[in-house]
Amino acid sequence: MTRRKIALIAAMVLMAVALAACNESKADIDEDTLAEPIIVDLTINPETVAAGEKVFIEAKVTQAGQPVEDADSVEIEVTQEGGGLSATVPIEHDQGGIYKLEKTFDQPGTYRIISHVTARGQHSMPLKELTVTE
């Protein structure tokens, strides 16, 4: 199989898993929680970095303007553009609803950074791009 086919299959599997994770019974969720979505502000600092330098990835999770300190799961999915396989890394809560990860990238290229946040019966997957230069 070509890299492109493998990447396509991997993307379809990830989509299926994400959709299954989002399919939670409404009976298990408090009505007030359904009224307010969780908001995930994903930031990458810097957005362009030289290979081998540190990148700080942060997901700030709020609901109704208040920090979400009790997320069930916060993970960062990293995929290199052009058919690279993806890797998912769990990240830790810091404070104030902020979940942080420090990472270095050894290979130049463009990377898709997707945060997968599951909290209070909801799932959010914002996406950012990172450029790694030589």
Side-chain angles (χ1 to χ4, degrees), residues 52-112:
E53 290 184 357
K54 290 181 185 177
V55 175
F56 299 93
I57 301 169
E58 180 179 290
K60 181 177 181 182
V61 185
T62 58
Q63 184 179 41
Q66 298 298 313
V68 173
E69 309 279 345
D70 60 349
D72 298 321
S73 172
V74 181
E75 299 177 321
I76 299 296
E77 177 185 348
V78 178
T79 306
Q80 188 173 12
E81 188 177 84
L85 294 178
S86 66
T88 303
V89 180
I91 64 175
E92 298 296 320
H93 180 251
D94 185 35
Q95 62 183 7
I98 297 172
Y99 299 78
K100 293 182 176 181
L101 175 67
E102 182 179 309
K103 185 161 177 49
T104 57
F105 294 81
D106 296 327
Q107 299 296 317
T110 300
Y111 292 83
R112 292 180 52 203

Side-chain angles (χ1 to χ4, degrees), residues 7-91:
L8 181 60
I9 291 170
M12 290 185 337
V13 169
L14 286 172
M15 234 7 191
V17 169
L19 289 173
C22 293
N23 188 19
E24 194 165 332
S25 170
K26 287 187 180 181
D28 297 337
I29 301 171
D30 180 9
E31 287 298 319
D32 292 334
T33 303
L34 283 175
E36 293 290 333
I38 60 170
I39 305 297
V40 180
D41 181 22
L42 177 63
T43 58
I44 302 170
N45 188 20
E47 291 184 357
T48 300
V49 67
E53 290 184 357
K54 290 181 185 177
V55 175
F56 299 93
I57 301 169
E58 180 179 290
K60 181 177 181 182
V61 185
T62 58
Q63 184 179 41
Q66 298 298 313
V68 173
E69 309 279 345
D70 60 349
D72 298 321
S73 172
V74 181
E75 299 177 321
I76 299 296
E77 177 185 348
V78 178
T79 306
Q80 188 173 12
E81 188 177 84
L85 294 178
S86 66
T88 303
V89 180
I91 64 175

